[in-house]
């Protein structure tokens, strides 16, 4: 089981390294969702100390949650991009974006609550707390790296 965990981490790191070399060769730094997800999964697995069995159940659930949150936020991100590009923005347009953000937050909070119950079926409370901390730490690190 531990060999499977090590294999997952090593394989993910190998894929990420290959993608980073490819991006560097092209002189750009595009967002690669698959590489991000693989790196995040390896980081979460390591930080929580998941066994291969736990990872095989938890990681797909976590990826599913991330995808649903992404989809919930898609419309607001589109509105925000359009508003940034537009000249002569109106109060009504800003209010529409604020309403969208409020609804997005409510939907994401609902998803977090729903998936917390699913996570509890797979992980201990301690592991869930470690997951939440690792998730925040990974995102903070990712943002710092992207700014470089």
């Amino acid at each position: 089981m531990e060999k499977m965990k090590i294999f997952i981490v090593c394989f993910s790191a190998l894929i990420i390294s290959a993608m980073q070399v490819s991006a560097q060769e092209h002189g750009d730094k595009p967002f690669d969702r698959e590489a991000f997800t693989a790196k995040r999964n390896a980081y979460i697995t390591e930080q929580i100390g998941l066994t291969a069995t736990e990872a095989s159940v938890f990681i797909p659930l976590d990826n599913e949650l991330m995808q649903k949150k992404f989809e919930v936020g898609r419309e607001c991100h589109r509105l925000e991009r359009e508003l940034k590009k537009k000249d002569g923005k109106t109060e009504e347009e800003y209010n529409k974006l604020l309403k969208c953000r409020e609804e997005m937050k409510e939907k994401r909070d609902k998803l977090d609550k729903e998936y917390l119950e699913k996570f509890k079926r797979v992980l201990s409370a301690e592991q869930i707390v470690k997951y939440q901390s690792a998730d925040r730490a990974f995102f903070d690190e990712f943002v710092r790296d992207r700014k470089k």
Side-chain angles (χ1 to χ4, degrees):
M1 300 242 177
E2 289 303 312
K3 288 181 182 181
M4 182 63 132
K5 178 180 159 187
I6 292 169
F7 173 76
I8 291 170
V9 172
C10 291
F11 185 72
S12 297
L14 179 65
I15 290 172
I16 292 164
S17 297
M19 290 178 175
Q20 287 174 341
V21 168
S22 175
Q24 288 172 358
E25 288 173 355
H26 293 94
D28 56 7
K29 214 175 181 183
F31 180 72
D32 184 337
R33 188 176 182 87
E34 289 181 22
F36 172 84
T37 301
K39 187 174 183 180
R40 183 177 172 277
N41 289 346
Y43 183 85
I44 297 284
T45 299
E46 182 182 340
Q47 294 299 309
I48 301 174
L50 296 178
T51 65
T53 304
E54 289 169 331
S56 70
V57 177
F58 176 75
I59 293 299
L61 276 176
D62 184 44
N63 290 340
E64 184 178 294
L65 172 61
M66 278 185 44
Q67 181 61 34
K68 286 182 178 182
K69 284 182 169 184
F70 174 78
E71 291 168 6
V72 164
R74 184 176 283 163
E75 177 63 18
C76 288
H77 296 306
R78 185 191 62 77
L79 283 173
E80 190 170 355
R81 281 190 307 275
E82 287 176 3
L83 194 58
K84 281 182 181 179
K85 293 177 184 176
K86 186 176 180 185
D87 293 330
K89 300 163 180 93
T90 66
E91 189 70 13
E92 183 181 333
E93 290 168 321
Y94 281 114
N95 281 324
K96 185 177 178 180
L97 179 58
L98 287 174
K99 183 177 181 188
C100 186
R101 285 179 175 175
E102 182 180 338
E103 290 171 356
M104 176 183 68
K105 184 177 180 337
E106 289 171 1
K107 289 175 184 175
R108 285 183 172 180
D109 288 346
K110 185 178 176 183
L111 284 169
D112 282 335
K113 197 172 194 176
E114 175 188 337
Y115 276 80
L116 177 60
E117 292 307 312
K118 292 180 180 186
F119 292 167
K120 285 180 180 178
R121 293 184 209 131
V122 180
L123 304 177
S124 69
E126 179 184 3
Q127 287 173 309
I128 294 171
V129 170
K130 285 181 179 181
Y131 155 74
Q132 292 169 338
S133 296
D135 187 37
R136 279 190 301 274
F138 179 82
F139 184 73
D140 291 346
E141 186 178 310
F142 174 77
V143 170
R144 274 193 308 272
D145 289 347
R146 291 284 293 179
K147 288 182 179 180
K148 289 181 184 178

